[in-house]
Amino acid sequence: MEDKKKVIKAFSRIGFGYGAFIATTLLLQLGFGTFIAVLSIFNIHIPLGNWYIVVSSLANYVVGGGISYLIIQDMPVSQSTNTEKVSAKTLFAGFLVCMSGLYVGNLMGLALMKVVSVLQGRPMVNPVAEILNGLSGWAIVLVMVIMAPVFEEILFRKVLIDRVRVYGDKAAIVVSGFIFGLSHGNFYQFFYAFFIGIVLAYIYIHTGKLRYTILFHMAINFIGSILGLKVQKVLWLTPIYSIIMLIAVAAGTVIFFQNRKNLEFQPGQKEIWGRGSFQTLFLNFGMIFFFLLSTVTFVLSQIR
């Protein structure tokens, strides 16, 4: 019983740590908005464009991520000891599985928001699309393709998994995926971020190389932002792009189902996976705090 209480306390601390990341992000957005509003009173207008997104995103990652790290930094660390060289073929297969997760998760998010739109009788807001449409190419590359993958892989893979893996690979992968998905703050991104987070967590655990997940994350964001936007502007490229993406998704789906029984999950020194693990992982004060703050961001993302 005492050991279980310690485990619950550990995951509660994880929840508070990543809840602090979301809370800090919300406070920074409120602060930036208030500062801009005050300046406008004195006829000083700051455009909410490229540099605003770059600076605010950097502040979110550095300040929010820093606070999150400070909360959980002294928790026991269990790093991967896997030093085997991973073949390019295996990595490419993993990337295709990521693409499959991206596609399926995106469809789930779009379908859910379509249902909500019909029920509410008004169109839902896709915050990502709105942000991308208002940014220049260099800002999208800097924020989406460089900044986000680097900071998010450090925060949601390296920092998080190293402190959860002591409880087993399965717990580390599931917790990393859920926190990563919910931290995106909207249903349009939640499902595919969750699926991609699961795959990237597995890759990180079994390779011990953060650079692989950063490169995968960069490639996925590049395909979903820069490449996707560019293709839409060239009519003849759209069907070619769609066919290539569908082939990649189909290949990733086949690879996953062919190899799902060969997936390896190592037990942790304090293994908790099994009956009652959901309650242990998520039904604690810290995680509930994290879920509540995530709900706030989901609601705010739909306010025009």
Side-chain angles (χ1 to χ4, degrees):
M1 181 62 70
E2 185 65 28
D3 288 341
K4 185 175 181 179
K5 288 183 178 179
K6 289 182 179 179
V7 173
I8 292 174
K9 185 177 180 180
F11 281 98
S12 182
R13 187 172 178 182
I14 291 289
F16 279 121
Y18 284 85
F21 172 74
I22 295 179
T24 303
T25 298
L26 291 172
L27 290 174
L28 285 172
Q29 290 176 351
L30 178 62
F32 280 128
T34 302
F35 179 67
I36 291 172
V38 170
L39 289 180
S40 66
I41 297 176
F42 300 96
N43 292 321
I44 301 174
H45 300 286
I46 298 179
L48 301 180
N50 296 314
W51 283 109
Y52 173 81
I53 296 296
V54 170
V55 173
S56 61
S57 296
L58 182 61
N60 291 339
Y61 287 127
V62 173
V63 180
I67 292 174
S68 180
Y69 174 73
L70 289 175
I71 292 174
I72 67 173
Q73 65 169 329
D74 61 346
M75 294 181 66
V77 172
S78 178
Q79 296 177 325
S80 174
T81 57
N82 193 329
T83 58
E84 295 181 11
K85 186 176 181 180
V86 182
S87 68
K89 180 181 178 181
T90 300
L91 288 174
F92 184 63
F95 179 73
L96 291 177
V97 174
C98 279
M99 292 302 298
S100 180
L102 171 65
Y103 184 80
V104 173
N106 188 49
L107 287 180
M108 292 174 66
L110 291 173
L112 175 62
M113 297 313 293
K114 182 64 176 178
V115 171
V116 174
S117 177
V118 171
L119 291 176
Q120 293 192 356
R122 65 181 181 87
M124 294 292 99
V125 179
N126 187 336
V128 181
E130 288 197 338
I131 291 174
L132 291 178
N133 289 332
L135 294 180
S136 300
W138 68 266
I140 296 175
V141 170
L142 184 57
V143 175
M144 301 294 292
V145 184
I146 298 176
M147 192 185 301
V150 172
F151 281 107
E152 289 177 6
E153 289 308 307
I154 292 173
L155 187 60
F156 296 105
R157 244 63 69 187
K158 177 66 178 175
V159 173
L160 178 56
I161 290 177
D162 285 358
R163 285 161 180 78
V164 180
R165 200 183 176 204
V166 67
Y167 303 104
D169 287 357
K170 291 181 179 179
I173 290 170
V174 170
V175 170
S176 174
F178 264 115
I179 289 180
F180 182 59
L182 288 173
S183 294
H184 280 72
N186 63 84
F187 274 118
Y188 283 101
Q189 290 181 287
F190 168 72
F191 293 103
Y192 71 72
F194 169 70
F195 290 141
I196 291 173
I198 291 290
V199 179
L200 294 181
Y202 184 87
I203 291 171
Y204 173 66
I205 283 175
H206 284 270
T207 65
K209 304 293 192 300
L210 194 66
R211 62 176 177 269
Y212 293 149
T213 64
I214 290 176
L215 289 174
F216 280 18
H217 200 153
M218 284 180 170
I220 290 168
N221 281 12
F222 174 78
I223 292 171
S225 57
I226 294 293
L227 190 58
L229 291 174
K230 293 295 182 182
V231 167
Q232 291 177 8
K233 297 178 181 179
V234 184
L235 188 61
W236 64 271
L237 271 179
T238 303
I240 298 175
Y241 174 80
S242 299
I243 291 172
I244 293 174
M245 288 298 102
L246 286 175
I247 292 173
V249 168
T253 303
V254 171
I255 290 170
F256 171 75
F257 282 103
Q258 284 184 337
N259 293 276
R260 69 186 188 281
K261 293 183 179 179
N262 298 323
L263 297 176
E264 297 180 359
F265 302 97
Q266 297 297 321
Q269 298 172 10
K270 303 177 182 179
E271 180 65 36
I272 62 167
W273 193 261
R275 188 176 181 180
S277 57
F278 178 83
Q279 290 86 344
T280 302
L281 294 175
F282 299 113
L283 298 185
N284 52 68
F285 287 116
M287 283 295 184
I288 292 173
F289 169 71
F290 171 75
F291 292 147
L292 290 175
L293 284 177
S294 299
T295 302
V296 172
T297 63
F298 276 57
V299 172
L300 291 176
S301 72
Q302 291 305 309
I303 298 177
R304 291 184 182 274

